[in-house]
Amino acid sequence: MIASTVRKPLFGVTLLVFSLFLLLFFFPPLPFYSDPSLTFNSSLLERHEIWSLRRLAEWRPCNWWLQPQIHVLPAQTNGYIRVDCYGGLNQMRRDLCDGVGVARLLNATLVLPKFEVAAYWNESSGFEDVFDVDFFIQQSKGFVNVVKELPIEIASKDPVRVDCSKRKGQFDYVETVLPSLLKHGYISITPAMSQRRDRYPLYAKAALCQACYSALRLTSTLEKKALELLQAIPKPFLSLHLRFEPDMVAYSQCEYAGLSPASSKAIEAARVDRKPWTGETARIWRNRGKCPLTPNETAFILKALAIPGNTTIYLAAGDGLMELEGLTSVYTNVVTKSSLLSGEDFTTMHGNTKAALDYYVSINSDSYMATYFGNMDKMVAAMRAFKGLYKTILLNRKAFALFTSQGLKGKELTEALWKVHRDDFIMGRGSALPDCFCEFNL
């Protein structure tokens, strides 16, 4: 009787302890500032990480532009063009590549581009501060003529500015820009953002592709610093381009619940006249994939793709990232250029040169993921494809927004995210810009 009485309390205590263990196992503590629906069940992580999947297709550089001298350059030039580039490093790189294509299209000689000083980007470095000028000129031979200096008769003149904001295809440039080039002999342009490169003749497209992927190399000083950074990162590592800065969120006109007071204040200060969408408009906007992923949402997707929690992650991002605890509470091995580099040569760098470090590391990383398909992501994904590095995924914001708006949580959300990113990866979608790359079935 006494033994039976003793066993009952012991059984009750054992049952209570076991129940608490199950609760902790299946419902771990939430990371700070996290969405309760974005937590992880260890049973969901038994699948192999996404990189282990066999791809069905990949994008490689097209043979037609890898062959030099597609068309011999005419002996006589129609004049000189300077490409004026604005924005961040990769936006300016894109403008330059398009400008090279336009120069070849119009049979013009290219003057070294002008990188506009942008206070917004904390920037003062020019083209020659970032890229190897002599290498650019040498690699452009046979595709387009490039000069460091103008002839004496026009060197003292400023170029005539030609508005190209509405030019989209071959005949738009030939019919409207070429007459100004022939009349003045020296013009400056910023190519239209929405180019129709498919309308270019092959020799002009080849010049554009050569400029983007073969002719741009960092200066020796900058490449040395970038290599130092690359070597300092524990291997293997994933480079993650995360975009959740106040200006990015303000520009998106999206709202987020559960942000810290500091983050909310920073976003509000950056909004100016860009008020967030509300009601049905906000729901439609988010479901179109227009809202940047938070660090917590990013961590959830990485886990859904079975990226191990001990993975070394290089954060390819500028200053001012918000809510970073949402990522670092799940992935603890996160490093940045600021945490790995020191010395005056790094602290005196500006926006473009710092962005160049992120670019160099990202195109040479073991794997690359981006949360926002911007200029850097397009260039990095294409360069990685050019180098034969295919562990690249652009996280699908639209799918995430649609799934969560449908009420998917936990295992269902994880499975849905796995499937959509699996399909993207095995089919090679988003791994390269289509203008210079062709699809190859494996």
Side-chain angles (χ1 to χ4, degrees), residues 243-302:
R243 300 301 311 272
F244 201 69
E245 305 94 339
D247 61 290
M248 172 60 73
V249 175
Y251 181 80
S252 73
Q253 296 181 268
C254 299
E255 281 199 301
Y256 297 82
L259 299 183
S260 70
S263 296
S264 299
K265 183 178 180 181
I267 294 168
E268 194 59 35
R271 283 201 192 279
V272 191
D273 59 346
R274 285 186 173 273
K275 301 302 180 185
W277 299 116
T278 58
E280 182 66 8
T281 303
R283 186 191 67 81
I284 294 172
W285 190 249
R286 182 173 292 276
N287 286 350
R288 288 175 59 192
K290 297 297 185 179
C291 297
L293 292 171
T294 69
N296 180 234
E297 291 167 343
T298 301
F300 185 87
I301 298 176
L302 295 189

Side-chain angles (χ1 to χ4, degrees), residues 80-275:
Y80 295 85
I81 287 181
R82 186 186 75 192
V83 184
D84 293 347
C85 307
Y86 299 85
L89 175 63
N90 289 288
Q91 180 180 335
M92 292 196 286
R93 180 197 294 264
R94 183 205 65 195
D95 286 344
L96 171 59
C97 295
D98 283 333
V100 170
V102 173
R104 181 66 184 92
L105 181 67
L106 302 181
N107 185 31
T109 299
L110 194 71
V111 180
L112 291 180
K114 181 182 180 183
F115 279 13
E116 290 290 336
V117 174
Y120 177 82
W121 297 94
N122 185 28
E123 189 49 59
S124 62
S125 52
F127 177 78
E128 64 280 359
D129 297 311
V130 179
F131 297 111
D132 185 328
V133 171
D134 292 331
F135 183 81
F136 177 67
I137 294 173
Q138 177 62 36
Q139 292 296 307
S140 298
K141 284 184 177 179
F143 293 90
V144 66
N145 287 324
V146 184
V147 295
K148 288 183 180 180
E149 298 178 353
L150 290 163
I152 296 175
E153 61 271 19
I154 60 174
S156 60
K157 301 177 182 178
D158 289 327
V160 174
R161 178 73 181 168
V162 178
D163 181 13
C164 292
S165 58
K166 297 181 180 179
R167 317 294 172 219
K168 295 183 178 180
Q170 172 184 357
F171 297 107
D172 298 314
Y173 282 104
V174 170
E175 292 175 1
T176 310
V177 179
L178 182 57
S180 294
L181 177 65
L182 293 171
K183 177 181 177 181
H184 301 289
Y186 180 30
I187 65 172
S188 67
I189 65 169
T190 297
M193 292 186 68
S194 53
Q195 294 291 302
R196 289 301 307 270
R197 305 177 190 92
D198 57 314
R199 298 178 180 177
Y200 287 8
L202 281 184
Y203 60 84
K205 287 201 287 187
L208 183 153
C209 297
Q210 177 72 3
C212 265
Y213 306 113
S214 294
L216 290 174
R217 182 175 72 183
L218 299 182
T219 65
S220 57
T221 301
L222 194 51
E223 188 168 289
K224 181 180 178 181
K225 179 57 65 176
L227 184 59
E228 177 187 335
L229 174 58
L230 181 63
Q231 291 173 340
I233 303 171
K235 313 295 187 300
F237 74 96
L238 181 153
S239 180
L240 175 66
H241 190 212
L242 182 61
R243 300 301 311 272
F244 201 69
E245 305 94 339
D247 61 290
M248 172 60 73
V249 175
Y251 181 80
S252 73
Q253 296 181 268
C254 299
E255 281 199 301
Y256 297 82
L259 299 183
S260 70
S263 296
S264 299
K265 183 178 180 181
I267 294 168
E268 194 59 35
R271 283 201 192 279
V272 191
D273 59 346
R274 285 186 173 273
K275 301 302 180 185

Side-chain angles (χ1 to χ4, degrees), residues 35-103:
D35 180 337
S37 68
L38 304 184
T39 54
F40 314 106
N41 186 318
S42 60
S43 65
L44 302 179
L45 306 181
E46 295 174 359
R47 65 170 64 91
H48 297 295
E49 63 181 315
I50 195 154
W51 311 126
S52 65
L53 298 176
R54 178 181 176 272
R55 294 187 314 281
L56 300 180
E58 62 188 26
W59 290 79
R60 302 172 187 169
C62 301
N63 290 328
W64 56 259
W65 73 266
L66 294 177
Q67 307 302 320
Q69 303 296 339
I70 293 178
H71 289 276
V72 178
L73 287 170
Q76 191 71 26
T77 181
N78 285 330
Y80 295 85
I81 287 181
R82 186 186 75 192
V83 184
D84 293 347
C85 307
Y86 299 85
L89 175 63
N90 289 288
Q91 180 180 335
M92 292 196 286
R93 180 197 294 264
R94 183 205 65 195
D95 286 344
L96 171 59
C97 295
D98 283 333
V100 170
V102 173

